[in-house]
Amino acid sequence: MMENIIFRNFLGGKGLKLTKERTAVLSEVYSFHGHFEPEYLYSRIKGSGSKASRASVYRTLSLLVECGLVKRVTRTDKGNIYEHTYGHSHHDHMICDICGEIIEFFSEKLEKLQDEICEKNSFIGSSHALEIRGRCKKCRM
Amino acid sequence: MMENIIFRNFLGGKGLKLTKERTAVLSEVYSFHGHFEPEYLYSRIKGSGSKASRASVYRTLSLLVECGLVKRVTRTDKGNIYEHTYGHSHHDHMICDICGEIIEFFSEKLEKLQDEICEKNSFIGSSHALEIRGRCKKCRM
DNA sequence: CTACATGCAAATAATTTGCATTAGC
DNA sequence: GCTAATGCAAATTATTTGCATGTAG
């Protein structure tokens, strides 16, 4: 579990502690593949026998985003949606307006395009997120 | 003001009414060029001598998004950021992580890329939003 | 006239925070 | 042991909603 080492180092470097709760959140985040909301993560943790309060889930999630192990995918009207990143290569998302399904894709051309666009605007791009909205295969009608 | 006509038609078609408050919100939205938060819009309306409660600002904003006269640009931790769209061609955004500045850009290549990607995934894309994050010219260091 | 819209204040709901207690290092 | 982390419940904050009253068509 490379992610545990990454997290430990990150915390250590800032004088923070690797607690049971933080470990529980991290391992739960990496126990499945897909997108999640904080509340869903919280319920999985409770169901898994570990313990961590909602507050700790939120606090830990912030740390995980800060150290790059988790990424905020998008924000719905309800709240944030996250995904873990380690072992995941960079990708973007298509979101179905009908059923809400989130489909991942990767485009080499898009990566190059970002560099081009940044150069043209004297901007130093560090990351990008392309979100395409529409109808997925199932909801095509 | 084409946008007034568009809004009037939209409302009429749904049996809704064009009230003073809705007119005030629309004209305030179109009175300046740039991105805004609901609260900022509300304060501008109050300052301009028109009247519309915060509730009406929110309610009207939803209608304007629904009829396409306003678009939600992004969502910060605080809340939504909007922009008006009429007379504005489609574009995407670069957001500076340091100062928060939002820079607009347009890329023909990106438009084509969306179609390509959708085709490849049997997705019917209706819109996209590319958000590039990094450092703007001023904050480049 | 008769829906529909308004303003207000109360309700929501996700996230954050203060604080007394517990636990890494 | 010292400092940071936890759980809880209360606080925050953007947005929504119920309701009595006002108004556009």
Side-chain angles (χ1 to χ4, degrees):
Chain A
M1 281 100 195
M2 201 53 197
E3 60 272 13
N4 288 297
I5 297 174
I6 294 173
F7 196 34
R8 181 191 303 283
N9 287 345
F10 168 77
L11 292 174
K14 307 194 97 184
L16 304 180
K17 295 164 183 173
L18 183 57
T19 61
K20 288 187 193 47
E21 290 80 2
R22 286 177 179 166
T23 303
V25 172
L26 176 59
S27 70
E28 199 56 40
V29 164
Y30 274 84
S31 72
F32 65 97
H33 180 81
H35 305 99
F36 62 89
E37 299 166 27
E39 185 62 27
Y40 173 67
L41 188 61
Y42 173 64
S43 69
R44 279 184 66 108
I45 290 170
K46 279 209 307 192
S48 79
S50 316
K51 70 172 190 66
S53 67
R54 227 179 299 259
S56 286
V57 169
Y58 278 102
R59 286 189 273 231
T60 304
L61 228 26
S62 294
L63 290 170
L64 291 174
V65 168
E66 194 184 333
C67 75
L69 284 169
V70 166
K71 202 164 75 140
R72 200 180 73 178
V73 173
T74 189
R75 170 119 192 179
T76 67
D77 291 329
K78 304 298 188 90
N80 292 315
I81 294 184
Y82 299 90
E83 69 184 5
H84 66 234
T85 52
Y86 191 75
H88 244 204
S89 41
H90 165 70
H91 57 263
D92 291 281
H93 300 97
M94 287 189 291
I95 302 180
C96 178
D97 284 328
I98 309 301
C99 70
E101 202 194 354
I102 301 180
I103 300 162
E104 300 178 358
F105 69 88
F106 171 77
S107 164
E108 185 59 44
K109 283 188 193 169
L110 177 57
E111 306 305 308
K112 293 201 183 106
L113 198 50
Q114 163 173 337
D115 297 339
E116 247 175 65
I117 291 167
C118 288
E119 173 124 15
K120 203 175 301 176
N121 291 275
S122 312
F123 194 86
I124 303 185
S126 56
S127 69
H128 70 242
L130 173 62
E131 191 177 294
I132 298 181
R133 297 217 154 236
R135 287 161 181 263
C136 73
K137 201 185 291 198
K138 274 184 258 129
C139 302
R140 190 163 32 185
M141 278 199 304
Chain B
M1 281 99 193
M2 202 54 198
E3 61 273 12
N4 288 296
I5 298 175
I6 294 173
F7 197 34
R8 181 191 301 283
N9 288 345
F10 169 77
L11 292 173
K14 306 195 97 183
L16 304 179
K17 295 165 182 172
L18 182 56
T19 61
K20 288 186 191 49
E21 291 80 2
R22 285 178 179 165
T23 303
V25 172
L26 176 60
S27 70
E28 199 56 42
V29 163
Y30 274 84
S31 73
F32 66 99
H33 180 83
H35 305 97
F36 62 90
E37 300 166 27
E39 186 61 28
Y40 173 68
L41 189 59
Y42 173 63
S43 69
R44 279 186 65 108
I45 289 171
K46 280 208 308 191
S48 78
S50 316
K51 71 172 189 65
S53 66
R54 226 180 300 260
S56 287
V57 169
Y58 277 102
R59 287 189 274 231
T60 304
L61 227 27
S62 293
L63 291 169
L64 292 174
V65 168
E66 194 184 333
C67 74
L69 284 168
V70 166
K71 202 164 75 139
R72 201 181 73 179
V73 174
T74 190
R75 172 120 190 177
T76 65
D77 291 329
K78 304 300 189 90
N80 291 315
I81 294 184
Y82 299 90
E83 69 185 4
H84 66 233
T85 53
Y86 190 75
H88 243 201
S89 42
H90 166 71
H91 57 262
D92 291 282
H93 299 97
M94 287 190 293
I95 302 180
C96 179
D97 283 329
I98 309 300
C99 70
E101 201 193 356
I102 301 180
I103 300 163
E104 299 179 357
F105 68 88
F106 172 77
S107 163
E108 186 58 46
K109 282 189 191 168
L110 177 57
E111 305 305 308
K112 293 201 183 107
L113 198 51
Q114 163 172 337
D115 298 339
E116 243 176 67
I117 291 168
C118 288
E119 173 125 15
K120 203 175 301 176
N121 291 275
S122 311
F123 194 85
I124 303 186
S126 57
S127 69
H128 70 242
L130 173 60
E131 190 176 295
I132 298 181
R133 297 216 154 238
R135 286 161 182 262
C136 73
K137 199 186 290 198
K138 273 183 262 132
C139 302
R140 191 161 33 185
M141 280 197 307

